[in-house]
Amino acid sequence: MKKWLTFMLVAGLATATQAQNATPDSKAPAAEVITLKQTSFDFGKIPQGRPVTHNFEVTNTGTEVLRLDNVQASCGCTTPEWSREPIQPGTSTTIKVGYNAASEGGFNKTVTIVYNNNQTKTIVISGTVYKAPATSAPANASLTLLKQ
C-alpha cells in the first residue's frame, strides 16, 4: 500500500510540474509587432512661426495585421497624421508629425501610438525655436547713396 501511495504522489507531482511548465508565464514579454525606424527626432533650430514636419516609419514585424488605433500628441502644438488602413505583416507606413513653432524656446513633445487594442509606443520630437527677424535682411543705408 505504501508503494502505491508513493507512486501516486510522485505521478501527481510530475503531472503538476508538466502542467505548470506548459502554462505561459504571464510576466513574459509579448513579441513586438511594431518596429519604429526612429523613436525620436530633433528638428534642431527652427524659426518662430514656421511649422515643421517629420515622417516616422512604422513597420509591422508581427504575423498578424497591425492596426494603429490612435496616435495622440502631448499638446495641441503637435499634430500627428496617420493612415487608418490595416498594416499587413512585413509592410510599413508613416506617421507624419507636425510641430507649430509659435512659441520661442526649446521644446520636447511626445506622441503616443496606440495599436492592436491598447498596446502603446512613444515617439519624441524636440528642437529649439528662435525668434525670426522682422525682415529677411537688415536695411542697407549704402543703397540710398548709390541711388543718388
Side-chain angles (χ1 to χ4, degrees):
M1 179 76 164
K2 287 183 183 180
K3 288 182 181 179
W4 186 77
L5 284 174
T6 305
F7 173 75
M8 292 302 288
L9 181 62
V10 170
L13 287 174
T15 304
T17 303
Q18 286 177 347
Q20 192 174 35
N21 290 340
T23 321
D25 185 5
S26 61
K27 294 180 183 178
E32 287 294 328
V33 296
I34 187 172
T35 301
L36 297 165
K37 192 172 185 177
Q38 297 173 294
T39 56
S40 63
F41 183 77
D42 185 354
F43 286 105
K45 293 183 178 181
I46 55 177
Q48 186 176 12
R50 179 135 332 151
V52 291
T53 61
H54 180 72
N55 291 325
F56 288 90
E57 185 177 323
V58 178
T59 303
N60 180 353
T61 54
T63 57
E64 302 292 323
V65 173
L66 172 68
R67 292 190 181 274
L68 300 182
D69 300 322
N70 193 16
V71 180
Q72 186 162 355
S74 59
C75 74
C77 58
T78 307
T79 54
E81 296 177 15
W82 74 99
S83 173
R84 280 27 176 212
E85 296 297 317
I87 307 164
Q88 297 300 319
T91 62
S92 299
T93 189
T94 57
I95 297 173
K96 181 179 178 181
V97 178
Y99 178 72
N100 180 4
S103 298
E104 189 177 0
F107 66 92
N108 190 16
K109 306 296 179 183
T110 60
V111 177
T112 303
I113 304 166
V114 181
Y115 63 98
N116 287 359
N117 299 322
N118 295 324
Q119 291 180 319
T120 61
K121 286 272 190 190
T122 302
I123 53 180
V124 178
I125 59 169
S126 60
T128 304
V129 178
Y130 65 89
K131 187 162 184 73
T135 61
S136 59
N140 188 345
S142 302
L143 287 176
T144 312
L145 293 174
L146 291 174
K147 290 181 183 178
Q148 294 178 359

